[in-house]
Structures are given as C-alpha cells and as structure tokens.
Amino acid sequence: MEERIAVLIERFKREQGEILILSHEAPDGDSMGSGLALLHFLRKKGKKVHFLSIDGVPYMYNFLPGAEEVITDYSGIADLAVLVDASRVERSGLEKPYPFKEVIRIDHHLVGEDYSEYDILDPGAPSTGNLIYDLLKAWDRYAIDSAIATCLYTAILTDTGSFRYSNATEKAFTDAAELVELGADPAMVSRMVYMRKHLTTYRLLLRVLSSLKLDFDGLVAYITILNRDLEETGASRIEAESFVSYPLSLEGVEIGLKFEEEEGNIWRISFRGKGKVDLSKVALELGGGGHFNASGARIEGGMDEVREKVLGVLKRHMERAGLLQERK
Amino acid sequence: MEERIAVLIERFKREQGEILILSHEAPDGDSMGSGLALLHFLRKKGKKVHFLSIDGVPYMYNFLPGAEEVITDYSGIADLAVLVDASRVERSGLEKPYPFKEVIRIDHHLVGEDYSEYDILDPGAPSTGNLIYDLLKAWDRYAIDSAIATCLYTAILTDTGSFRYSNATEKAFTDAAELVELGADPAMVSRMVYMRKHLTTYRLLLRVLSSLKLDFDGLVAYITILNRDLEETGASRIEAESFVSYPLSLEGVEIGLKFEEEEGNIWRISFRGKGKVDLSKVALELGGGGHFNASGARIEGGMDEVREKVLGVLKRHMERAGLLQERK
C-alpha cells in the first residue's frame, strides 16, 4: 500500500489542471470528511481543486471546514477526478459523459477492483478517511492542520459508528489519537454530528419504533419508514439515517433492517449485522453493495413484494452462515 | 502521578491480607470494568481479592470476564479496600462500620481530596479505567491479558460515551489502541454493552419521549420517568440509563435532564451538558456530584416541587455561565 500511495502522490504532484473530488450520492461522514480533507490539502499544495457532491452537504456535516465550498454540479471538464468512498463512478450520481478525463478511486468498500495504477482500494481500512490520512502523512505531515484533522476525524468517527463497529480496529484508534493531537476536537465533532437533532426526528422515531417487527425467531428485526411518516411528522429523510440501529440493537437480533419508501415505488433497504452474515453479498444480490456488517440496496416494487424478496434472499444467506437450519 | 502510582504499587505488593475492591452503587461500565481489571491483575500477583458491588452487576456488563465473581456483600474485615470510580466510601452503598481497615481511592471525578498517600485521584483522566491501566502498566505490562484489556476497554468506551464526550482525549484513544493490541475486541464489547436491548426498553422509550419538555427558550430539555412507566411497560430501571441523551441531543439544547421517580418520593436527577455549564457544581448544590458535563443528584419531594427546585438552581448556574441574562 505504501508503494501505491507513493505512486499516487507523484500523480497528484504532476497534475497542473483541474482536479475534481467526487463524493457518493447521499453522502455520509466518511465521504464528506475524506473529500474535504483532500480538498484542503491539495489546495495547500497549490492545486486547482473542486469538491462535487451531487446531493450537497447533509445538515449534520455542515460544520466541517470547507462545507460551504462543496458544489453540486460542475460545468467544465476536469483533468482528474478523485472518487472518494465509492468504487464505481455511478455511485457519484453523475451521468455520462462524465465531466473529467481520468478518475482515481480511494475507497475501503468490499467491492471493486483496481483499474488504474493510481487507485487506492483497501477494504481493511476502517474508513476512507484513514486511507486519505495515510496519503497526506506520506506526502507532507506538516501540512495537516486542524481543519484537515477535523475532517478526517469525522470520517473515522462516523464510519466506525462511534467506534462501535467491527472496523473500530487498532488503526482506527491510533489514527484518531494522532488526529486529536493534530487539532481535531472529538467532543465538538460529536456535538455537531450527533447532538443537533430536531424535534421532528423524535416524532418520526416514535412512529418508526411502532413499526418494529421481528422475524426468523427473533434473529431479524426491521422497521419501515413510509413517505406518509415523513409528511405527517415534518421530518426529512436524512433524520431517519441512523434509525436502523434500533432493530439491530435488540438482544438476539443478528440482522437489523430498515425499509424506506422513496418516490415512485422504490424502496431503499439498509442492512446492519453483528458479524455472522456477509451483508455486502446480500446487498450485491439485490443490486446494491457495502460492507460485511453494513450494506444497502434499492428495489422497485410494492411494499409486501419487496419485503418478501429481501427476506427471501436474506434467509438463504442466513442458512449458508449456519444461522438458520435449511428447511425443505 | 507516576510517583504516586509507584507508591501505590509498593503498597499493594506489601499487602498479604484480604483486599476488597469496591464499586459505587448503581455501577456503570467504568466502575465495573476498572474493578474487574484490578481483580484479575491482583489475583495474578498472588493477592487475595474480592470485588464487592452492592447492586451487583448490571445486565449489560455481565459479559465482562469475572462478572460472575462479583459479590454483593462481604462478611469479613478486609485489610485493604480499593474504592474505584468514587471518591467517598458512602458512594459504595456500605454502611458503617465498614468491613475494611484501610481504604485507597482510584478515581477521576471532580470532587474529593487525597486523604491517603496511596490515593490516585485525577480528574484529568478520561475514566478510572485509564488510571487503572497506568497502574497495571507501571507494575507489569506483561501481566495484562485480553481479559484485563477487555475490562479496561469497556471502562473507557462507556465513560466517554463511545468517545463522544469531552473526556474523549488523545489519551482515551491512545489507551484504547493499546488495549485493542492487548486483546480487547471493540465490536464484541459494543455488541454486548449496547446491542442487547429488550423490547421493553423501546416500549419505555416511546413513553419517555412523549414526556419530553423544553424550557429556558429551548436551552434545557428534560424527560420524566415515573414508576408507573416502568410498571406498565415491564421495563427495569437500568433500561432507562442512557435516555438522558435524547433531550441532550436536540439542537439548541445546552443541558439535558432526566427526572426519575424512585421509591418513597425520591427523585433521581441526571444532568448532561454540552460544555457551557459546570454540572458537577449544579449537582453538588443539590447534594450530588459528578463531572463537568455529566452529574447527578437525588432529591426528596413531590414532582413539581423537585422540578422547580432543580430548574431554579440550574437557572442560577446558567446565568453565571452567561447562557441566560440575569433577570430581576
């Protein structure tokens, strides 16, 4: 990995044209924090850089240094794009023809193969933020200021679920400690990310918790969020982002699901696990992707039909993992 | 601090009699994890040790190695007691005459002065677990096995609120990284502590969220838990332990409160803050104690009377902190 990072640094150094950093759609803290850290650093190195997030900056990340500079569309043709926290350009939400000549990917998800000598794809990294941090350290550690440290710390914090998921490895903690030394303020970041909830969020939570259902002898729990729930509580979609942790956190539950209605008969399904079933494979089979313990997919159809399909695929993977007896 | 630790190690080494570790009442993860880590270590050093927790081991900490050995009363007279995570012996819930000859305190709370040359009291430590870790490392780092690392990691994780509070310092992360290297498994610990919730917890949450009220122009939010709520949902008291984070997490709220009815017209009040008001002083004025951003007190009286008293004291401290204009 060190060698690849050295090669990528040389590539960046050579670039004299426009660089376009790309987050994925519905960006999370890792995509936002990683992308902004890279933006600040490359600018310090005299590069012409933009950060494009087609869905903008979610409310909870609007405190990040540079958040106000994130653009939602780009009119030129950049020489180089850097896709952070996603391995396929389609995940950026951009449509062809793409507004760049070449793309480099920096990502820690399980899917994707290198197709550029400059790609940094490492599913062993706790977050894309850790990969960006390795890159910046290798390039010039003294250029990492407190703004960059704050962005990278936010990436690690949010992608490890406040250091609760299985990607809370020794490296996650070591990097966090270094970033705190470099000026990241964990209490401030947590306050901004997690402690600016709206009353509407709790109104929505009250409805969503009432939708909680258990299946497969209590191994699976799921909640459902309807468009009606959003309309009637006045909550926005992003406020339900972390609600999947409620079904997952029940005793005995191995897999927590969130079924979320979107426009046009589309359902967005979030999968969260406790380590026994590879949910990246479950999601992949349903046209999505993600991590072993956290993945997602979008499916079109009626509510019952979609639920049946998802639970059916999940059942096979649970059987294979030995969680359920195969039944004929 | 290093010198004090060296003196305490010599004191432990000299002790040939019974050592009694004491947690505080209603023990939390720090008290449990710190006490159990010390129990395992001292036994490895050939000491005769017991760990007394008058309220036993709360459900979410029953996975900790050695949890089954925690005793709830002690019939002999120990030569030495070690009070972990509390600075006053009264906090252990024991009544006089105490079942020990001498007491040493290891604690990171803001209250308390040394009254023994062996005391380790350091409000700058993220948790008591970090102080115990310093002690064990200084004594014999090779005796720290994965069971001890798991106990200490649990102490740090829970007392920093999953690294979200202001005590999530560089040391909190550095120690966590070392403990992971020594065998602590963050995902397993988080699963056991946070992901074994009961359905009754969510039933209780539904009621408690409905009790949410805002005061002082939205700077203070509070929830109320009545005995009736516990009876009618079938939830136990411990299940509401973390509910104070709901009022605190609202945007604009600086202080979150939980009023909890106990037997005999006693109210237990939890205070949580975002860094602007010293809540240890608020609690102290009401007969309790704690940290700057997290404290508690018990008050006798009727619901309205207690609420008025608490909000009155809080108001004065908010005024002093410049959060509220002093009004005549």
Side-chain angles (χ1 to χ4, degrees), chain B residues 38-83:
Chain B
L38 190 57
L39 178 85
H40 294 304
F41 188 93
L42 289 173
R43 285 215 180 135
K44 277 188 147 178
K45 292 298 168 191
K47 304 294 168 186
K48 296 186 280 287
V49 207
H50 309 277
F51 180 16
L52 172 64
S53 164
I54 205 165
D55 288 329
V57 180
Y59 168 72
M60 56 270 250
Y61 307 119
N62 65 9
F63 73 97
L64 286 172
E68 67 287 355
E69 292 187 57
V70 174
I71 54 177
T72 52
D73 69 275
Y74 180 74
S75 53
I77 301 289
D79 294 278
L80 179 63
V82 189
L83 183 62

Side-chain angles (χ1 to χ4, degrees), chain A residues 1-2 31 109 199 222:
Chain A
M1 196 50 71
E2 274 163 46
S31 199
H109 289 84
L199 277 170
Y222 58 89

Side-chain angles (χ1 to χ4, degrees), chain A residues 9-299:
Chain A
I9 290 171
E10 290 313 309
R11 175 69 186 84
F12 276 129
K13 283 185 180 169
R14 274 200 313 276
E15 185 56 62
Q16 298 303 316
E18 303 251 321
I19 301 176
L20 187 64
I21 300 168
L22 297 175
S23 92
H24 56 73
E25 284 183 282
D28 58 7
D30 193 12
S31 199
M32 277 294 127
S34 296
L36 283 169
L38 190 59
L39 178 84
H40 295 304
F41 188 94
L42 289 174
R43 285 215 179 135
K44 276 188 148 179
K45 293 296 166 192
K47 304 295 168 187
K48 298 185 276 289
V49 207
H50 308 278
F51 181 16
L52 172 64
S53 164
I54 205 164
D55 288 329
V57 180
Y59 168 71
M60 57 271 247
Y61 307 119
N62 66 9
F63 72 97
L64 286 172
E68 68 287 354
E69 293 187 57
V70 174
I71 55 178
T72 52
D73 70 274
Y74 179 74
S75 53
I77 302 287
D79 294 279
L80 179 64
V82 190
L83 183 62
V84 291
D85 203 40
S87 66
R88 286 173 294 135
V89 175
E90 298 89 306
R91 291 275 287 118
S92 70
L94 292 176
E95 287 182 16
K96 285 181 180 171
Y98 295 133
F100 51 80
K101 293 178 194 158
E102 185 186 0
V103 66
I104 288 166
R105 301 166 302 159
I106 304 177
D107 185 33
H108 74 128
H109 289 84
L110 281 171
V111 292
E113 280 172 47
D114 295 334
Y115 51 64
S116 152
E117 60 177 314
Y118 306 113
D119 283 354
I120 304 284
L121 301 180
D122 179 5
S127 72
T128 297
N130 297 83
L131 293 171
I132 302 272
Y133 182 46
D134 286 343
L135 173 81
L136 306 192
K137 265 200 297 191
W139 187 336
D140 178 5
R141 58 183 309 131
Y142 300 102
I144 304 175
D145 55 27
S146 70
I148 293 171
T150 298
C151 293
L152 293 176
Y153 177 81
T154 303
I156 301 171
L157 173 79
T158 54
D159 237 41
T160 59
S162 289
F163 302 94
R164 291 186 185 187
Y165 302 155
S166 56
N167 56 342
T169 57
E170 191 185 339
K171 180 168 174 59
F173 289 109
T174 306
D175 284 1
E178 290 178 18
L179 292 167
V180 171
E181 199 191 352
L182 288 165
D185 178 346
M188 181 279 281
V189 171
S190 297
R191 244 182 357 252
M192 300 311 272
V193 175
Y194 300 115
M195 297 198 184
R196 293 190 296 155
K197 297 215 183 334
H198 301 313
L199 277 170
T200 49
T201 308
Y202 292 162
R203 272 190 219 127
L204 183 64
L205 179 62
L206 286 171
R207 293 181 75 124
V208 169
L209 272 186
S210 308
S211 83
L212 180 73
K213 290 207 168 43
L214 292 160
D215 206 337
F216 301 111
D217 299 324
L219 287 168
V220 173
Y222 58 89
I223 50 171
T224 306
I225 303 173
L226 305 176
N227 282 325
R228 199 175 61 209
D229 295 326
L230 299 172
E231 286 156 22
E232 292 176 12
T233 59
S236 68
R237 205 163 281 286
I238 191 92
E239 296 178 49
E241 197 65 29
S242 67
F243 283 7
V244 66
S245 69
Y246 287 92
L248 180 67
S249 300
L250 280 169
E251 184 178 28
V253 165
E254 287 297 334
I255 294 147
L257 296 176
K258 181 177 73 170
F259 289 90
E260 197 182 343
E261 187 182 19
E262 295 192 347
E263 302 308 317
N265 230 20
I266 301 280
W267 291 82
R268 183 173 157 202
I269 299 107
S270 304
F271 301 86
R272 294 291 182 278
K274 291 181 181 163
K276 297 213 176 132
V277 177
D278 187 345
L279 297 173
S280 72
K281 288 186 183 153
V282 175
L284 204 64
E285 202 176 318
L286 292 160
H291 303 279
F292 191 98
N293 278 328
S295 67
R298 272 191 170 80
I299 305 180

